[in-house]
Amino acid sequence: MLLLTGVIVATAGCAVLGPAPPPNQDNLCEIFRKEPRWYDYALESEREWGTPIATQMAFIQQESSFRGRVRPPRERLLGIIPWRRPSSAYGYAQAQDPVWGEYRDEAGSLFARRTHMKHATDFVGWYNARTQRMTGVSLQNPEHLYLAYHEGQGGYSRGTWRSKPGVQQSARRVAERAARYQSQLASCESEFRCRRFYQFGPFCH
């Protein structure tokens, strides 16, 4: 009985904590082989909002390294006492409280969670679609999409990123990763598109 209880607790803990980050984050094929449902979620988001799968995953890798419950580290008072966090960013996409609330009101649901990859990919797609609508940045331009993601659409339009070399470097890194992910995905996407028994012929898309 004690053994069974321990197994149940351990299983529940895994479900709450979510999957461990992929060990090889430089290869999108390996990421999706470890977590094939992530491909499904990113594909749904791409179809709904237009941001390519590779760009979505490059954003999330940059923001959280695929850790579902990560938050910004706490600041230190007097250099030693744990203090407040610099922002409310949380989860795979590091969405902050206000914009996550807007997403849930406009496109998500009351039960959307920043710790679930399905909602994280949908959030990234929704946010980038809003960036395109508000600023004109193409959904095929991951570098500038990320600048707007980091600075907000208003900050992007004002050019706040121009005085932030660290943000510009991160945006270039996202763009490079997105291009690499896209090239990798082209070689393995068929593995994930039709992997279920009912996905054949007209049911495979």
Side-chain angles (χ1 to χ4, degrees):
M1 187 65 172
L2 288 175
L3 178 61
L4 178 60
T5 302
V7 170
I8 292 172
V9 170
T11 304
C14 291
V16 169
L17 294 176
N24 182 3
Q25 299 189 9
D26 289 329
N27 190 310
L28 189 57
C29 297
E30 293 302 316
I31 291 169
F32 286 152
R33 285 175 185 135
K34 182 178 183 299
E35 300 294 340
R37 290 302 303 274
W38 288 5
Y39 170 80
D40 299 337
Y41 301 149
L43 179 61
E44 289 173 13
S45 177
E46 180 183 49
R47 289 172 172 170
E48 177 69 22
W49 305 109
T51 294
I53 291 172
T55 299
Q56 295 174 49
M57 301 307 285
F59 270 47
I60 291 171
Q61 196 285 328
Q62 175 66 31
E63 291 298 287
S64 67
S65 297
F66 301 112
R67 293 173 294 164
R69 295 184 177 274
V70 69
R71 297 180 186 272
R74 291 184 181 276
E75 298 170 341
R76 295 277 173 172
L77 187 63
L78 303 177
I80 55 171
I81 303 172
W83 198 236
R84 66 173 68 87
R85 298 183 192 277
S87 80
S88 60
Y90 181 51
Y92 285 115
Q94 288 294 280
Q96 297 192 42
D97 291 350
V99 72
W100 184 257
E102 292 175 26
Y103 161 71
R104 292 205 307 180
D105 290 343
E106 291 183 18
S109 75
L110 182 64
F111 303 105
R113 306 192 313 277
R114 285 175 280 187
T115 56
H116 197 300
M117 184 61 79
K118 176 180 177 64
H119 305 137
T121 53
D122 194 63
F123 172 81
V124 170
W126 168 81
Y127 195 92
N128 286 343
R130 190 166 78 164
T131 292
Q132 182 188 49
R133 186 170 66 251
M134 294 175 66
T135 69
V137 173
S138 169
L139 295 177
Q140 307 301 318
N141 187 341
E143 181 175 349
H144 281 258
L145 287 174
Y146 185 78
L147 290 171
Y149 192 84
H150 191 279
E151 299 294 290
Q153 288 93 3
Y156 175 83
S157 297
R158 293 192 301 273
T160 57
W161 51 274
R162 297 182 189 278
S163 61
K164 300 178 180 180
V167 173
Q168 294 176 50
Q169 183 179 30
S170 294
R172 287 193 295 271
R173 189 158 53 241
V174 166
E176 291 165 1
R177 186 176 294 273
R180 187 163 63 251
Y181 277 179
Q182 183 59 50
S183 177
Q184 293 163 349
L185 186 61
S187 71
C188 67
E189 189 168 12
S190 60
E191 294 179 34
F192 311 108
R193 275 189 177 271
C194 304
R195 69 182 189 278
R196 296 185 177 88
F197 74 92
Y198 58 82
Q199 292 177 313
F200 60 91
F203 304 104
C204 178
H205 51 268

